[in-house]
Amino acid sequence: MSFQQWQIEMLNLVNAERARYHRRPLNLDIRLCHSAQEHSNYQAHTNAMTHNDSSGPLMTRVQRRVPNIRGCAENVAWNQPDVRSVVQGWINSPGHHRNMLGEYNIVGFGIQNKYWTQVFALA
């Protein structure tokens, strides 16, 4: 899996927001992109926005892909029309914004049928 243009656009928007708060930029991680995509697929399959899926809670899901993480967070959204809209929605939400600014160094993104997922981790 190579990175898609929308993922690069999302990374640039997230890192621009992090820069406004003097946070280090995140690196796009293929393993986290797989994790985020699997979660977006699950949400689309069940027609439900959730942080849990059949493989367990967030930390369990992420550690399957990146075993040595020291922390993680996730943002999910539904029905946003494009990257800019979903990122702005997360920026406008205090809890989601806090995740975007957290002490993480890698990130992954997924989308399926307008179910968006961001996964942040400290590796």
Side-chain angles (χ1 to χ4, degrees):
M1 175 182 189
S2 60
F3 299 125
Q4 298 178 28
Q5 186 58 41
W6 73 266
Q7 291 170 314
I8 294 166
E9 179 185 359
M10 185 172 282
L11 178 68
N12 290 337
L13 291 170
V14 169
N15 280 337
E17 183 66 11
R18 288 177 64 85
R20 289 183 56 223
Y21 291 85
H22 309 289
R23 300 289 198 269
R24 293 178 190 256
L26 300 172
N27 293 308
L28 199 52
D29 186 278
I30 196 74
R31 301 164 299 174
L32 287 183
C33 285
H34 284 296
S35 181
Q37 187 60 54
E38 288 171 352
H39 193 63
S40 286
N41 292 348
Y42 175 83
Q43 292 179 100
H45 175 75
T46 60
N47 279 328
M49 195 171 63
T50 180
H51 289 288
N52 296 313
D53 68 22
S54 59
S55 63
L58 176 63
M59 188 66 126
T60 301
R61 287 189 281 118
V62 174
Q63 284 181 324
R64 278 196 348 251
R65 293 284 184 178
V66 190
N68 297 323
I69 63 167
R70 294 175 278 162
C72 62
E74 178 178 71
N75 288 341
V76 296
W78 177 72
N79 208 27
Q80 296 292 334
D82 55 42
V83 170
R84 190 167 295 282
S85 297
V86 73
V87 170
Q88 190 59 55
W90 284 324
I91 288 170
N92 293 341
S93 166
H96 295 100
H97 192 239
R98 194 168 29 258
N99 287 343
M100 290 174 76
L101 301 180
E103 295 299 321
Y104 306 110
N105 59 353
I106 56 176
V107 67
F109 309 124
I111 182 176
Q112 181 67 32
N113 296 343
K114 294 190 178 181
Y115 284 93
W116 301 85
T117 304
Q118 292 182 320
V119 178
F120 305 92
L122 180 60

